[in-house]
Amino acid sequence: MVYEELSVRLNDRRYKNWLKAGHCLRILKDGLHPYTNHEMRYFHGDLLNQNTLLRRPCQSSCNTKGNKLLGLCKVCSEWQTVILRHHRQPDAAVNWDNCRPPSWRHDHWELAKAYMPRGQMGKKSANQCDTSALLNLINYCDHFSSVDTRVIREVIRCRNELMHSCELHVDDEWMSRYQTSLKKLLHQFNHVAELATAAHQIKEMLTADWSICISGLDRMDSVDADGIESDSASQWEASADSISQWEVELLRDRLQEMLRDTETQDTEQLLRLSDFLQANRDLGELFCVELQAISSLEARLRGREREGSPSGT
């Protein structure tokens, strides 16, 4: 299969940087899944051991209303108190609507979601959560007291800059800062096997030359981070199939996040992403359903504008 359009996109170094940085987040996420799951299971069990009231079932099918907990039973009220006690910023807004209070007693991941950004209600396990959710969990829950939260917040900041880039571009200077931030973060977890593996994969990802891999024809020498010449046909280097898959996954994540988050939806950015996809035929075909959703949203917005204009009243 020939990836001519992908090859053209990868000739844009800043777009290639964006893709590489985004895929590094996915690698980081895969490493964080087992770690956060294990730690929250332990934390949950420790809370139950320390407080006998938390072991009791919910007494009145407690639930959230919007982002508020109203009329909680004694047990769920105690859970709320404990969650806030272990929140590094208890005065900050807690996204209670992520949670099902009756499940706090028996589901460690329902507890974890109280420390995450909104939009986690349907997430049943660690492997359903994205990098941002997992990093925020580590940042806000004091069970992770051994982790330097300054490093966590720096990677969160980089992640937000990357995913909110209107042009899907980042320059080399940004990539250098990003690489340093990831290195500092992963150094905190060098004792965790999955994250040590992630650190190795990320290092290789950031030093690989994807434009060489696309042609699959020429063998060229490149220089790695240590100044040692390495053959571009080495075992690790990605195929065009892999790069294309990573690109689609990253773009789909971005689209779904933008379409889902209706409260803070940036319509202009969404339309610019739509223009980018339509300008690339291969991507336009892959994302035809999402493009239709964006077109419908745009039509609704135009309808509201007409209704709100003097001539429409």
Side-chain angles (χ1 to χ4, degrees):
M1 183 175 182
V2 179
Y3 292 91
E4 294 180 1
E5 291 179 88
L6 174 60
S7 182
V8 170
R9 290 193 293 276
L10 293 181
N11 282 331
D12 183 334
R13 185 175 180 85
R14 294 181 301 163
Y15 179 70
K16 182 163 63 175
N17 284 345
W18 185 82
L19 286 180
K20 282 187 176 185
H23 190 60
C24 286
L25 288 176
R26 297 183 69 89
I27 296 172
L28 176 60
K29 175 186 68 174
D30 290 342
L32 287 171
H33 283 160
Y35 168 73
T36 52
N37 185 61
H38 174 271
E39 289 298 319
M40 288 308 296
R41 189 184 298 278
Y42 176 86
F43 178 52
H44 182 261
D46 192 43
L47 293 178
L48 293 175
N49 288 334
Q50 292 179 29
N51 190 331
T52 57
L53 179 57
L54 300 181
R55 302 176 202 170
R56 300 180 186 177
C58 170
Q59 299 167 342
S60 60
S61 300
C62 299
N63 209 336
T64 59
K65 185 174 183 179
N67 196 37
K68 295 181 179 180
L69 296 171
L70 301 176
L72 293 180
C73 70
K74 184 178 180 180
V75 176
C76 291
S77 181
E78 181 67 8
W79 270 109
Q80 180 185 23
T81 299
V82 169
I83 287 169
L84 291 173
R85 184 183 302 143
H86 289 279
H87 199 294
R88 284 196 176 104
Q89 296 182 24
D91 295 332
V94 176
N95 295 299
W96 299 113
D97 55 350
N98 283 341
C99 308
R100 296 178 176 87
S103 298
W104 281 331
R105 178 177 67 96
H106 59 81
D107 188 341
H108 67 284
W109 206 248
E110 284 299 318
L111 168 65
K113 292 191 296 185
Y115 300 98
M116 295 182 185
R118 64 179 177 272
Q120 310 301 316
M121 167 62 86
K123 307 300 172 65
K124 306 292 187 181
S125 61
N127 60 15
Q128 294 180 355
C129 295
D130 65 13
T131 317
S132 175
L134 300 176
L135 290 174
N136 274 277
L137 166 62
I138 297 170
N139 183 56
Y140 286 117
C141 181
D142 70 2
H143 171 68
F144 301 93
S145 58
S146 63
V147 180
D148 185 348
T149 56
R150 293 173 299 179
V151 175
I152 296 291
R153 288 194 294 270
E154 176 60 23
V155 175
I156 292 173
R157 184 182 68 81
C158 288
R159 180 266 174 199
N160 292 340
E161 290 174 351
L162 181 75
M163 297 307 288
H164 298 147
S165 167
C166 292
E167 303 296 334
L168 310 182
H169 285 165
V170 291
D171 59 28
D172 289 346
E173 181 181 351
W174 186 93
M175 285 292 284
S176 179
R177 294 198 308 271
Y178 177 62
Q179 185 170 6
T180 299
S181 298
L182 286 177
K183 186 175 181 179
K184 289 180 179 179
L185 170 67
L186 289 164
H187 182 70
Q188 305 263 319
F189 303 104
N190 55 16
H191 60 289
V192 180
E194 293 87 354
L195 286 163
T197 299
H200 178 70
Q201 292 173 340
I202 286 172
K203 181 179 179 180
E204 291 185 324
M205 171 65 60
L206 292 172
T207 55
D209 188 340
W210 285 3
S211 62
I212 295 173
C213 302
I214 285 297
S215 69
L217 299 174
D218 299 326
R219 290 170 61 91
M220 298 176 60
D221 289 334
S222 59
V223 178
D224 65 20
D226 298 319
I228 301 173
E229 289 190 353
S230 58
D231 195 312
S232 67
S234 65
Q235 181 178 357
W236 181 85
E237 282 193 320
S239 67
D241 285 336
S242 296
I243 297 171
S244 177
Q245 179 184 342
W246 297 336
E247 179 186 41
V248 170
E249 289 172 349
L250 184 57
L251 290 169
R252 179 168 287 118
D253 286 349
R254 185 69 189 115
L255 272 169
Q256 290 177 350
E257 179 181 346
M258 295 177 74
L259 288 169
R260 181 180 64 244
D261 195 359
T262 55
E263 291 184 19
T264 60
Q265 199 166 67
D266 187 332
T267 307
E268 181 181 353
Q269 190 176 68
L270 194 56
L271 293 177
R272 292 175 78 168
L273 180 53
S274 173
D275 290 342
F276 170 79
L277 295 175
Q278 293 181 74
N280 292 271
R281 185 181 58 184
D282 56 334
L283 296 177
E285 292 173 354
L286 284 168
F287 291 102
C288 59
V289 174
E290 290 85 352
L291 287 171
Q292 182 58 49
I294 295 172
S295 295
S296 298
L297 174 63
E298 185 179 13
R300 289 197 302 272
L301 291 173
R302 287 178 177 172
R304 291 174 189 169
E305 290 174 357
R306 287 195 295 270
E307 290 173 3
S309 65
S311 58
T313 57

